[in-house]
Amino acid sequence: MSRVADTIARRNTEAAGALIGYLPAGFPDLRTSIDAAVALANNGVDVIELGLPYSDPVMDGAVIQAATQQALGNGFRLRDGFTAVREITAQVEIPVLVMTYWNPVLQYGVDRFADDLAAAGGAGLITPDLIPDEGGAWLDASDRVGLDRVFLAAPSSTDARLRQAVEKSRGFVYAVSTMGITGARSDVDSAARTLVGRLRDAGATSTCVGLGISSAAQVAEVLGYADGAIVGSALVKALADGGVEAAGRTAADLARGTAAARTSR
């Protein structure tokens, strides 16, 4: 069973799909990051993606990099991520996926990490730099404690890689796009749509699209062909500029896209 997959399936029945919201733990401080995640859950976000700040965030954009570096500068430690998951899930009934690069998990200990995440009430991991054929230890640990594992797929992935991501993911497959880039919108949309179609051909039953989505209109557009839309930088920027209240307002605005997409179907 997968809480994340169940939530996404339910939202595809109730609305046009799921809204997944990313925030980094510890930004601007641990307490505020917890309050902001709760605000997202109370304003239409269906699944929380909680990022663990890392010293070499090679796949993150400038807004998220700045936030995670600030969190690290303020003394964030990996164990604080488990505290955040525990406090979020104690306040709202929402799946919380942790997004982390693989090296911190290795340093902490794969089995220990799985045990502590499950004990905190976490739903699973998104691992952007781990491919399934190098993730045997995590596959075993996540099976043992019942955590979801979300692998990434890109437009450049081979069909064999896509099948592998589909077979080994639990919760959803993360389809990487670059929506919202000025001047490249039509090309990016085409790539994202094509990737989701290829993943469905590979057997995916739950695919969510992320990177660059920043408006309700874009959420609606993505949910026209995918099962979920993942928003990160827009929410982090709102939190940075206006605090918890602004993050909640931004989430509520983005969530309107789930209804708009259903109306347009």
Side-chain angles (χ1 to χ4, degrees), residues 27-28 32 36 234-250:
F27 174 76
T32 304
L235 292 166
V236 177
K237 186 176 188 305
L239 177 60
D241 293 345
V244 171
E245 185 177 348
R249 286 197 307 269
T250 300

Side-chain angles (χ1 to χ4, degrees), residues 33-91:
S33 68
I34 293 167
D35 292 343
V38 171
L40 263 55
N42 288 332
N43 282 280
V45 169
D46 302 300
V47 178
I48 297 293
E49 178 185 345
L50 191 69
L52 296 185
Y54 182 51
S55 58
D56 187 24
V58 294
M59 297 183 69
D60 295 329
V63 171
I64 293 175
Q65 282 194 31
T68 57
Q69 293 306 305
Q70 181 175 329
L72 289 170
N74 289 341
F76 179 88
R77 297 293 180 266
L78 190 148
R79 64 179 177 272
D80 296 329
F82 301 121
T83 299
V85 172
R86 184 177 299 107
E87 294 201 22
I88 294 165
T89 56
Q91 296 180 64

